[in-house]
Amino acid sequence: MRVASQVVFRLAAFLAASGLVYAVTAREPAGGSMILVAAAMFTYVGLVFRAAVREAGADASEAPAETEHVGPTIWPFVFSVAAVGLVLGIVVARWLLVLGSTVFVASAVGWFVDVRRQHARGHQA
């Protein structure tokens, strides 16, 4: 997993550099921003891999713990609606891009608040 995180981080760095070059040299704005979004996503995946490696090293000496479970929530559906708004905003109209971005941020905040609330209730019980 450590090698995978290094590979993903290197891909993210490559995508970030190529995205910046493309954004500066190309005459259209969508390509550069999409490459930069892909770089951000690869960075996130690399951080998740690195956290998994660290957690696996820390938990190697301990007994396996019970896996925490987050209950059902509506926020993944709202994320998908926001993604549709973002794509339509890039393709069709800029106001849809603003609307999709707003819904995306609102759904991220809502989901994190929901997960935090569920974890707080689970740890108090």
Side-chain angles (χ1 to χ4, degrees):
M1 197 63 105
R2 179 169 293 174
V3 173
S5 67
Q6 290 175 353
V7 168
V8 170
F9 278 132
R10 288 180 182 157
L11 282 171
F14 171 76
L15 285 172
S18 62
L20 288 174
V21 168
Y22 190 86
V24 170
T25 59
R27 297 278 184 213
E28 53 94 20
S33 62
M34 285 190 223
I35 295 172
L36 291 173
V37 167
M41 295 303 110
F42 271 95
T43 302
Y44 175 73
V45 169
L47 291 173
V48 169
F49 281 171
R50 189 170 66 176
V53 167
R54 287 183 180 171
E55 187 175 318
D59 291 341
S61 61
E62 300 176 5
E66 183 179 327
T67 304
E68 294 183 26
H69 178 72
V70 178
T73 180
I74 190 73
W75 296 113
F77 175 72
V78 178
F79 264 123
S80 64
V81 171
V84 169
L86 288 171
V87 170
L88 288 177
I90 290 172
V91 174
V92 178
R94 295 287 181 221
W95 67 270
L96 284 172
L97 184 63
V98 172
L99 181 65
S101 300
T102 305
V103 172
F104 183 83
V105 170
S107 62
V109 169
W111 198 356
F112 291 138
V113 167
D114 194 22
V115 168
R116 177 180 275 179
R117 187 178 318 124
Q118 287 182 16
H119 281 287
R121 274 193 231 137
H123 291 298
Q124 291 175 356

